[in-house]
Amino acid sequence: MPIHTDTVRKKFPILETEVNGHPLIYFDNAATTQKPDMVMDRLRTYYERENSNIHRGAHFLSQQATEAYEAARGTMQSFINAKYPYEIIFTRGATESINLVAHSFCNKFVKAGDEVLISAMEHHSNIVPWQIACKEKQADLKVIPMNEKGELRMSAFRDLLGAKTRLVAVTHVSNALGTINPVKEMIELAHEKNIPVLIDGAQATPHMTVDVQALDCDFYCFSGHKMYGPMGVGVLYGKEVWLNQMPPYQSGGEMIKEVSFKKTTYNELPFKFEAGTPNVADVLGMEAAIKFILELGHTHIAAHENDLLAYAIEKLKQLDNIRFIGTAGKRTSVVSFLFEDIHPYDTGIILDKLGIAVRTGHHCAQPIMDFYRIPGTIRVSLAVYNTRREIDLLVDALARVREMFG
Ligand code: C6P
């Protein structure tokens, strides 16, 4: 069914908030989405009736919680169509997932003089872990360049894939530009040279269906909180063949088979990568968020958000001195811009006074801002509960900003 925003919005009590005497308009969804009732209810039910440590106790609550946690792993598996449930590793989010691979994969497979390839439009979470890992291994970090529209230069990418490349790590959707990268084609090109590929899907899973087997990516990661779920929980998908060869990332309980003071043997997948007591409640909350998305349907969500995006761009174009940052042919849910003569931060402050939440600044993607030689942008990022009316109010507010600054 097409999205009926009045019905959807009723599930998000926070959207009734007033900010500075104005109804909240929440356009900071790429930072984190708001949470529907069913996610909050799931957290409450878990702590009220099911709370227990898992994989440890023989008692009723522990068994029940273990079953729920492992069933949630199955939900994640089918959400991204992974082949096996044990290819799903629960993490704190996209950042931790990337750190896990950067640490563990590079430990095993990268040596001095090798290369890791990332792109010019990565979030800091998909830059810094590789910088650290490459420094440790005396390897080189190479960058796929992009054009003025904010699209990756595919011919340069082809040229960069070489005998020394050990891994490609690239974002599916840019958080600052909204660009959807041609990841399937990139994976094919890398695989022609037997190079594995990690896809940062933090900004993709809320907006589009992801099929890791169809993509044939080697690693894929996402965060629960950007897709209507709780904070502090996320997923790393990894192909069995890689995960089995990689050493543990963190160590302690759960990730071991047997421990003596002389020697420790490691647990099987996925537990080898899930040291310590896991975040059971938030995993279950993320499962509820996935059910929320699947009930609405990615097709309907995308249709709604694409309509809003096109509408927003058309309306914003009418404002004087506006410069769009990121005009790729394929994009989703994000419009980034600034007034040439007004600092984005000043614009953000005024919007906030009018109850409108946007993100201003570099969006944890400073190299993109350096590329465009700008201090930052105003980023409007959309979710399923946003409306055309909210965009009209945003454009009115921006017109007021223009008036104030002349
Ligand atoms: N981007 C934004 O406002 P975490 O923080 O681990 O959930 O996600 C990190 C991350 C990784 N990759 C991409 C493409 C991202 O957009 C993010 C988070 C937020 O754009 C917060 S900085």
Side-chain angles (χ1 to χ4, degrees), residues 241-261:
V241 60
W242 293 115
L243 294 177
N244 265 333
Q245 296 178 77
M246 285 158 50
Y249 172 52
Q250 293 180 341
S251 49
E254 188 78 7
M255 51 72 72
I256 53 88
K257 199 172 261 167
E258 273 178 47
V259 179
S260 75
F261 286 118

Side-chain angles (χ1 to χ4, degrees), residues 28 30-32 92-96 98 123 125-126 171 173-176 200 202-203 223 225-226 359 363-364 379:
D28 196 17
T32 196
R92 280 167 53 232
T95 302
E96 190 176 51
I98 296 167
H123 185 277
S125 291
N126 203 26
T171 195
V173 173
S174 159
N175 69 316
D200 172 0
Q203 300 292 348
S223 296
H225 72 98
K226 293 191 194 294
R359 186 168 171 188
H363 316 300
C364 299
R379 183 185 68 181

Side-chain angles (χ1 to χ4, degrees), residues 144-253:
I144 311 158
M146 66 178 185
N147 63 23
E148 275 293 317
K149 290 166 89 180
E151 296 165 331
L152 293 183
R153 292 186 185 274
M154 290 299 281
S155 60
F157 173 58
R158 279 190 199 90
D159 294 343
L160 281 163
L161 288 170
K164 292 185 192 164
T165 317
R166 289 292 153 266
L167 185 104
V168 176
V170 70
T171 195
H172 199 162
V173 173
S174 159
N175 69 316
L177 308 170
T179 308
I180 305 176
N181 282 320
V183 288
K184 191 166 165 48
E185 188 187 339
M186 295 175 82
I187 293 162
E188 274 166 19
L189 288 168
H191 282 183
E192 279 171 16
K193 301 196 169 164
N194 293 322
I195 301 165
V197 181
L198 174 141
I199 305 293
D200 172 0
Q203 300 292 348
T205 46
H207 308 292
M208 60 185 76
T209 306
V210 170
D211 181 332
V212 291
Q213 289 191 75
L215 286 176
D216 199 24
C217 54
D218 300 273
F219 302 97
Y220 196 96
C221 63
F222 55 96
S223 296
H225 72 98
K226 293 191 194 294
M227 41 187 280
Y228 311 105
M231 288 190 171
V233 66
V235 163
L236 170 68
Y237 158 81
K239 276 187 187 164
E240 179 185 12
V241 60
W242 293 115
L243 294 177
N244 265 333
Q245 296 178 77
M246 285 158 50
Y249 172 52
Q250 293 180 341
S251 49

